[in-house]
Amino acid sequence: MIHTDIAEILCIKPKNEKKKTKTMEEDAKKTKKKTMKIEGEVVVMKKNLLDFKDVMASLLDRVHELLGRRVSLHLISSVQPDPANEKRGRLGKAAHLEKWVTKIKTSVTAEETAFAVTFDWDESMGPPAAFVIKNHHHSQFYLKSLTLRGEGGPIHFVCNSWIYPNHRYRSDRVFFSNKAYLPTETPELIKELREEELKNLRGNEKGGELKEWDRVYDYAYYNDLGAPDKGPDSDRPVLGGSPELPYPRRGKTGRKPTKSDPNSESRLALLNLNIYVPRDERFSHVKFSDFLAYALKSVTQVIVPEIASVCDKTINEFDSFEDVFHLYDGSIKLANGQTISKLRDVIPWEMFRELVRNDGERFLKFPLPDVLKESRSAWRTDEEFAREMLAGLNPVVISRLQEFPPKSNLDSAKYGNQHSSIRDEHIEPHMNGLSVHEALELKKLYILDHHDALMPYLTRINSTNTKTYATRTLLLLQEDGTLKPLAIELSLPHAQGESHGSVSKVFTPSENGVEGSVWELAKAYAAVNDSGYHQLISHWLQTHAVIEPFIIASNRQLSVVHPIYMLLHPHFRDTMNINALARHILINAGGVLERTVFPSRYAMEMSSSIYKNWIFTDQALPKDLLKRGVAVEDPSNENGVKLLIEDYPFAVDGLEIWSAIKTWVTEYCSFYYKNDKTVQTDTEIQSWWTELRTEGHGDKKHESWWASMQTRDDLIETCTIIIWIASALHAAVNFGQYPYAGFLPNRPTVSRRFMPEPGTDEYTELAEDYEVAFLKTITPQLQTLLGISIIEILSMHSTDEIYLGQRDSPNWTADDEPLEAFKRFGKELEMIENNIIRRNNDKRFKNRTGPVNIPYTLLYPNTTDYTREGGLTGKGIPNSVSI
């Protein structure tokens, strides 16, 4: 029997099927049926033709088309069962895309093409609820949509999927209409197809490397960061699957284990960016082109020796701030044509062309970061240093100091006394007349505390070229709403061992002489801590890494017609692809992150340590603000909280965005879930939530804080948090990177020597030439170039970005009430944007622009003036963690 292969049934009649076919034809004659024509439009896109192979594939597709091996579609009835399988809807006659040969042309761009298609359809079969598509061509194409036009109005099938040649699949490619159904409400004749599609996406759990046409979503540990076959320096521990090194799961690739460590997965060659992720999770052609244009800057291992040979003056050092400014005013001039030729030998031309920009001779010319546009010295002020904790690229760490001196939560049995050595006499001279006790009572003391996160790793980190401290920075909230730095504590493990506690020094503000230079260096050490924590924790771990398990679980357990899948799917766009690329070139052994951020080879291991304390429910913005003590409960406010720092741009704007998201999610979920029982009896939601907890975040499966998912409120809060993390939280910690850290002295990522001691040559140098001493302490020239290069890429908006409040299709659902609620959501976001503009123009709110005069725009929801512009806009909230 081959009745499950639809196209074969319609085109071939095997001998052992003749009798049954004849009977079916006789039955059809007995029943009078009215046949109608359904006109439709299919929108497809060919893969863009970057090389000769693709040109040949397009020509072969035309040959196949001329030989009758075409693209066929079969509509599926929602009311009339298939005689061969009564659990499924009956199949209509095959229809084919018309004029493929004349419409699809060989082109170097990826262009959408609309095809007419005509279906012969029996009225008795009712409205079609799904269709099967078979690609008998040589190569794949992107199926965007099918729209059927009829008297009852159009029926939309939003597909957005790559269709590979038919022999690549074990079962038919099925697409459903845009009508959302809970599992129990699904038409009977569609239920089996719905379940089978989910089984296909889960895969067969067999071993072997997954191929580009596989549509398998599965879990794996972070066991592909190291390359143990290259030796111990390239080995890295497996993250995930153990109490010592817990981690969220990543997408499975199925690559072979390494030879020297069966628990580690082998890696692809550096310039091979074809890491497996399900094909529909890959970047669009536009996005990949944007990414490719900058990719050279992140291929560190290839370009390091080449850049080192062209840096002039003191090798790998900036000699002054003027040298750094020259990165934006001019560029580094390549030594000679031979250097260009040498680089081109090892670098793909598309990447090299972008690196040298347009003049062909100048290398790595960077756009001027916002932090320098108004003034070249304002970044050095204490006010700006403190303001960036509220409105910079890492505004999610600062907390209120609730006891003094600050205390450590590290295990004293293992780490000794790690409590702060800051005392009243250090800070009270700078507290505008307040005592420490009064400031605590008035909730005026705040802290940027990286001590406990770093101290357990500091001995190992300082065994590398890094020489840094674990820092605490104390601040006073002043009457004008700004923060004033009071003291910075720099701590090291005790020389006799970690169990003996820490050795700390406290530095306080000073403006003049060598004391002023020492204070500037103390701020730099604090900034180094914050930069590393930002990149590893606030950005990578708490947005990129934690969201990937939700993407995998959603595709494995929620049907595409499930309303929650439809709600969340836009917020998963491109995340698995960018995370796979990050594992390949950024967070891997010897990757860009290890080369440019101070924890070096211990970076990812340190992020695993922080993940031990990650709590999903605390990612809700109101709970996060309460937990950090920067807000207090206030039932009279919409979000139930009141900010203690009134002028806290991230929190003020963020709470409005959070509220808009939650209102949208509440209205949407309430349409499909009328009560708690609907949630409890939703088998897909329950399976999704179970798998997410026990597999995706499996190292935290026994935590008591997970929602029980027994109420509608549980579902609403969960979905709101997912959308918040993927959209606004990621935007807040990602797109401010180049505006603030594109000038690395403002946000150094590495410190190479300790604070100079009086009587040493380094101290004399600091007294005589602050700029040279400062630049010798922080990130060196080569790492600065690499660091700026990568954050320029990360700060870019793609030209095909889809922003919060937008969807890739206006027909994403057939249900009117959710569509109206989504429109209201968009209107609310527009109002929030106007509120942000108004606040940025209000001179009372000094933290919204600061001494550098950068308006806080990172949480602009979506506007029309730049959404197609892309680039370093510094504003806009993409739907997903897409870069």
Side-chain angles (χ1 to χ4, degrees):
M1 293 286 288
I2 57 170
H3 61 267
T4 54
D5 197 336
I6 316 303
E8 305 299 328
I9 283 178
L10 296 174
C11 300
I12 304 170
K13 295 181 180 178
K15 292 179 180 179
N16 62 352
E17 291 290 298
K18 282 184 178 179
K19 184 176 181 180
K20 184 169 183 178
T21 302
K22 185 177 180 181
T23 304
M24 290 172 61
E25 290 172 351
E26 290 172 350
D27 289 343
K29 290 178 181 178
K30 293 177 182 176
T31 307
K32 290 185 178 181
K33 297 177 180 176
K34 184 177 179 182
T35 302
M36 58 187 293
K37 299 283 187 184
I38 299 180
E39 303 294 333
E41 181 182 79
V42 175
V43 179
V44 306
M45 184 173 68
K46 286 287 293 179
K47 56 189 291 193
N48 64 328
L49 307 171
L50 296 174
D51 57 35
F52 179 71
K53 290 180 182 178
D54 291 330
V55 174
M56 288 303 298
S58 182
L59 293 174
L60 285 170
D61 286 346
R62 295 188 188 190
V63 172
H64 283 218
E65 186 76 13
L66 292 169
L67 293 174
R69 299 178 64 180
R70 307 172 68 183
V71 175
S72 64
L73 298 89
H74 304 262
L75 299 180
I76 301 175
S77 171
S78 60
V79 297
Q80 195 174 108
D82 187 339
N85 182 351
E86 294 188 352
K87 291 184 178 180
R88 297 190 178 194
R90 185 169 182 169
L91 296 160
K93 292 181 180 180
H96 299 90
L97 300 188
E98 300 168 10
K99 300 181 180 179
W100 180 282
V101 173
T102 57
K103 283 201 171 188
I104 289 288
K105 299 176 182 177
T106 302
S107 168
V108 295
T109 60
E111 297 175 346
E112 292 180 3
T113 305
F115 290 91
V117 62
T118 303
F119 297 91
D120 290 329
W121 187 250
D122 292 326
E123 280 190 347
S124 62
M125 293 170 69
F131 73 92
V132 169
I133 187 166
K134 283 183 175 286
N135 177 11
H136 297 288
H137 287 176
H138 174 269
S139 60
Q140 68 271 29
F141 61 86
Y142 185 76
L143 177 63
K144 186 170 184 180
S145 63
L146 165 64
T147 303
L148 303 179
R149 297 184 179 88
E151 295 178 2
I155 299 177
H156 298 282
F157 299 80
V158 180
C159 306
N160 292 326
S161 184
W162 284 92
I163 309 298
Y164 278 77
N166 207 51
H167 68 275
R168 296 296 188 189
Y169 298 123
R170 297 192 308 270
S171 58
D172 295 327
R173 290 302 313 273
V174 177
F175 293 92
F176 302 91
S177 74
N178 61 345
K179 173 66 177 171
Y181 296 105
L182 295 176
T184 56
E185 297 170 351
T186 309
E188 284 298 321
L189 298 182
I190 302 300
K191 282 184 177 179
E192 189 175 274
L193 288 172
R194 175 177 181 151
E195 293 165 3
E196 184 178 89
E197 178 69 358
L198 284 173
K199 289 178 182 177
N200 291 334
L201 293 172
R202 293 177 200 133
N204 57 15
E205 299 185 359
K206 291 182 180 178
E209 185 171 354
L210 293 166
K211 305 299 183 183
E212 65 175 275
W213 50 82
D214 287 322
R215 303 171 57 235
V216 173
Y217 294 79
D218 207 349
Y219 304 97
Y221 300 134
Y222 276 71
N223 63 348
D224 62 341
L225 303 180
D229 291 346
K230 293 184 177 180
D233 286 346
S234 297
D235 194 12
R236 294 294 180 273
V238 175
L239 304 183
S242 68
E244 297 76 24
L245 293 171
Y247 221 65
R249 303 299 186 257
R250 64 169 175 91
K252 178 181 177 180
T253 67
R255 293 197 299 267
K256 293 179 180 179
T258 60
K259 294 177 181 178
S260 53
D261 180 8
N263 293 319
S264 292
E265 186 173 276
S266 57
R267 295 178 52 78
L268 298 178
L270 180 65
L271 292 179
N272 182 355
L273 300 182
N274 195 30
I275 311 115
Y276 173 80
V277 293
R279 186 66 178 89
D280 294 343
E281 302 295 336
R282 299 285 289 270
F283 288 164
S284 70
H285 291 100
V286 173
K287 178 68 170 279
F288 188 71
S289 297
D290 287 350
F291 185 85
L292 190 68
Y294 295 100
L296 171 59
K297 297 172 185 176
S298 61
V299 187
T300 313
Q301 295 92 321
V302 175
I303 63 175
V304 165
E306 307 303 330
I307 296 179
S309 69
V310 300
C311 295
D312 56 7
K313 296 189 180 180
T314 311
I315 297 299
N316 207 25
E317 294 290 354
F318 291 109
D319 296 319
S320 66
F321 286 150
E322 200 60 40
D323 267 6
V324 186
F325 296 146
H326 193 57
L327 291 176
Y328 319 104
D329 299 333
S331 58
I332 298 173
K333 189 172 178 62
L334 292 177
N336 51 49
Q338 185 177 3
T339 305
I340 293 179
S341 177
K342 192 175 180 183
L343 282 169
R344 287 184 62 178
D345 287 342
V346 295
I347 293 166
W349 169 244
E350 294 90 346
M351 300 180 183
F352 181 79
R353 181 178 56 196
E354 172 58 31
L355 190 73
V356 298
R357 305 289 166 157
N358 296 321
D359 55 22
E361 293 183 355
R362 290 198 167 271
F363 189 65
L364 289 173
K365 180 179 178 181
F366 298 101
L368 186 67
D370 289 353
V371 76
L372 294 179
K373 287 181 178 178
E374 189 79 10
S375 164
R376 296 202 167 184
S377 60
W379 64 274
R380 294 177 58 178
T381 63
D382 286 1
E383 182 182 344
E384 180 60 24
F385 170 71
R387 186 193 74 90
E388 290 182 19
M389 301 177 197
L390 303 174
L393 60 89
N394 193 28
V396 295
V397 179
I398 187 171
S399 60
R400 180 164 57 89
L401 189 64
Q402 301 187 47
E403 57 181 344
F404 186 86
K407 290 187 177 180
S408 169
N409 292 317
L410 293 174
D411 182 0
S412 60
K414 185 174 182 180
Y415 296 106
N417 179 13
Q418 294 289 339
H419 299 322
S420 176
S421 60
I422 301 175
R423 296 296 180 263
D424 298 38
E425 57 268 25
H426 290 125
I427 63 174
E428 284 191 343
H430 308 280
M431 290 179 60
N432 302 343
L434 287 174
S435 69
V436 170
H437 177 75
E438 289 170 335
L440 284 172
E441 288 292 313
L442 294 170
K443 299 179 172 60
K444 296 284 188 182
L445 284 180
Y446 291 82
I447 185 170
L448 186 72
D449 192 348
H450 292 303
H451 182 279
D452 285 5
L454 268 65
M455 185 57 71
Y457 286 87
L458 210 48
T459 298
R460 281 173 285 175
I461 289 171
N462 285 339
S463 69
T464 68
N465 292 330
T466 294
K467 298 294 179 282
T468 197
Y469 302 91
T471 66
R472 293 183 176 106
T473 303
L474 264 61
L475 308 107
L476 176 72
L477 177 61
Q478 302 186 105
E479 292 302 316
D480 64 356
T482 62
L483 291 172
K484 179 182 182 180
L486 299 174
I488 296 173
E489 181 181 48
L490 306 181
S491 301
L492 290 170
H494 198 284
Q496 296 180 11
E498 290 179 340
S499 62
H500 291 270
S502 60
V503 177
S504 303
K505 290 186 177 180
V506 179
F507 299 88
T508 55
S510 181
E511 295 182 0
N512 302 313
V514 68
E515 292 82 7
S517 299
V518 166
W519 172 244
E520 291 296 314
L521 272 185
K523 290 194 294 183
Y525 289 117
V528 167
N529 272 200
D530 198 52
S531 294
Y533 192 93
H534 162 261
Q535 201 61 270
L536 284 170
I537 310 304
S538 303
H539 183 204
W540 166 256
L541 173 65
Q542 295 180 347
T543 62
H544 284 260
V546 301
I547 212 71
E548 187 162 356
F550 288 92
I551 301 171
I552 300 169
S554 296
N555 282 279
R556 286 168 56 87
Q557 300 297 341
L558 298 180
S559 166
V560 293
V561 298
H562 196 289
I564 299 303
Y565 181 93
M566 290 182 169
L567 172 69
L568 296 178
H569 184 249
H571 305 288
F572 298 153
R573 183 178 189 250
D574 292 341
T575 304
M576 290 187 73
N577 200 163
I578 195 63
N579 284 3
L581 290 170
R583 299 198 310 274
H584 189 56
I585 57 179
L586 294 181
I587 62 175
N588 58 301
V592 173
L593 201 70
E594 287 194 359
R595 290 176 181 270
T596 61
V597 179
F598 77 87
S600 187
R601 63 175 293 147
Y602 302 105
M604 291 300 290
E605 190 176 338
M606 193 179 90
S607 75
S608 168
S609 176
I610 304 299
Y611 176 65
K612 292 177 182 178
N613 299 318
W614 181 80
I615 298 173
F616 174 71
T617 50
D618 284 353
Q619 306 312 301
L621 181 59
K623 288 188 178 180
D624 169 60
L625 297 171
L626 289 171
K627 187 174 184 178
R628 290 192 281 124
V630 296
V632 292
E633 291 184 356
D634 183 355
S636 65
N637 280 339
E638 184 178 5
N639 289 295
V641 299
K642 177 184 178 182
L643 291 172
L644 296 175
I645 305 175
E646 182 183 355
D647 185 13
Y648 186 172
F650 161 74
V652 173
D653 298 355
L655 283 171
E656 290 190 358
I657 299 291
W658 168 270
S659 178
I661 294 172
K662 187 159 189 178
T663 299
W664 151 237
V665 172
T666 301
E667 292 181 359
Y668 182 89
C669 290
S670 298
F671 177 75
Y672 296 101
Y673 296 90
K674 302 304 181 185
N675 49 50
D676 294 344
K677 188 175 181 180
T678 325
V679 176
Q680 297 162 11
T681 57
D682 185 336
T683 54
E684 289 186 9
I685 280 292
Q686 295 304 321
S687 296
W688 169 70
W689 192 237
T690 297
E691 181 172 291
L692 187 281
R693 291 181 292 110
T694 60
E695 297 290 338
H697 282 282
D699 296 329
K700 290 187 166 289
K701 61 186 174 184
H702 298 303
E703 299 285 0
S704 60
W705 42 257
W706 288 109
S708 62
M709 203 53 71
Q710 295 297 300
T711 68
R712 187 170 63 183
D713 286 346
D714 285 346
L715 182 61
I716 290 169
E717 183 77 357
T718 296
C719 292
T720 304
I721 293 173
I722 293 170
I723 295 172
W724 163 258
I725 292 173
S727 60
L729 180 60
H730 179 258
V733 298
N734 183 73
F735 294 104
Q737 291 186 85
Y738 196 82
Y740 286 101
F743 178 62
L744 223 60
N746 185 52
R747 297 286 301 179
T749 58
V750 169
S751 52
R752 296 175 283 155
R753 61 185 190 182
F754 295 121
M755 180 71 80
E757 297 286 348
T760 63
D761 291 343
E762 290 83 0
Y763 195 84
T764 301
E765 182 181 54
L766 182 64
E768 294 176 352
D769 194 332
Y770 159 72
E771 288 190 12
V772 168
F774 183 93
L775 291 168
K776 281 185 178 180
T777 301
I778 65 163
T779 316
Q781 187 179 43
L782 180 56
Q783 286 164 286
T784 294
L785 296 176
L786 298 171
I788 294 173
S789 297
I790 193 61
I791 63 173
E792 183 186 2
I793 300 169
L794 296 178
S795 302
M796 290 279 185
H797 282 291
S798 174
T799 50
D800 72 342
E801 199 76 84
I802 302 175
Y803 293 87
L804 193 64
Q806 300 175 348
R807 302 287 293 227
D808 60 359
S809 170
N811 305 309
W812 61 273
T813 180
D815 295 319
D816 291 336
E817 287 190 37
L819 285 174
E820 288 302 314
F822 191 65
K823 287 180 183 177
R824 291 193 294 273
F825 178 45
K827 292 291 184 184
E828 182 64 22
L829 293 175
E830 290 178 15
M831 289 178 60
I832 292 170
E833 183 170 312
N834 291 330
N835 292 343
I836 292 172
I837 294 171
R838 176 180 50 77
R839 287 193 289 267
N840 284 345
N841 291 329
D842 192 330
K843 300 303 181 186
R844 293 176 301 163
F845 300 131
K846 295 184 177 181
N847 295 328
R848 297 201 71 90
T849 53
V852 293
N853 197 26
I854 303 178
Y856 189 71
T857 58
L858 294 174
L859 290 179
Y860 265 51
N862 68 310
T863 61
T864 56
D865 61 337
Y866 64 86
T867 50
R868 293 302 171 204
E869 172 191 341
L872 292 169
T873 65
K875 52 188 173 182
I877 302 174
N879 269 328
S880 60
V881 180
S882 58
I883 187 65

